Amino acid sequence: VVKGIVQHDEGCFTEPIARSAGDPRKMRADSAGKPAVTYFTVVKRFSRATSLEARIMTGRTHQIRVHMAYHSHPVLGDLEYGVRSSYIDRQALHAGSLELIHPRTQKGLTFHAPLPEDFQHLLDKLNAEDRR
């Protein structure tokens, strides 16, 4: 869930990502960085936030957080790249599913995880705001 209203129903961010010169723990969008590709689809627009589904095609550190902040839609609850939220005490990111190739067997693996309670609480609060 990101701050603000994402205008396009879907899109792709391709800005390369590099380590921040000022803080080696942080990353930033930078033409000198490594390739990074993030596809997104809007799930729901709230009055002040947007729920997205993101698919990363590369695995850069903090990739979703960096791309969303770079495009002026920082992740709610992300104190490093985003904005504090009174509805959730962590980054409003959840890996609903993860697909990967096992390095030894080369077989595809898929893992699914239900939405955590605190994340559902965030969505409920955003929905309640919109009903006021």
Side-chain angles (χ1 to χ4, degrees), residues 19-27:
R19 196 159 299 281
S20 172
D23 184 347
R25 295 170 298 163
K26 287 183 75 172
M27 307 301 282

Side-chain angles (χ1 to χ4, degrees), residues 63-85:
Q63 181 172 325
I64 294 170
R65 298 163 65 197
V66 170
H67 273 160
M68 295 314 302
Y70 181 78
H71 288 277
S72 302
H73 292 290
V75 173
L76 292 181
D78 182 356
L79 302 182
E80 198 74 35
Y81 303 98
V83 292
R84 190 173 304 276
S85 171

Side-chain angles (χ1 to χ4, degrees), residues 12 27 52 62 86 96 100-101:
C12 180
M27 307 301 282
L52 301 172
H62 305 169
S86 59
L100 56 95
I101 304 296

Side-chain angles (χ1 to χ4, degrees), residues 31 44 58 66 78 86 93 98 123 129:
S31 60
K44 182 169 184 181
T58 50
V66 170
D78 182 356
S86 59
L93 286 173
L98 178 66
L123 296 174
E129 273 186 7

Side-chain angles (χ1 to χ4, degrees), residues 1 51 88 90 92-96 112-124:
V1 179
S51 175
I88 194 165
R90 65 176 178 90
L93 286 173
H94 171 66
H112 297 279
L115 205 57
E117 190 175 309
D118 65 339
F119 205 105
Q120 186 60 56
H121 174 77
L122 165 67
L123 296 174
D124 292 345

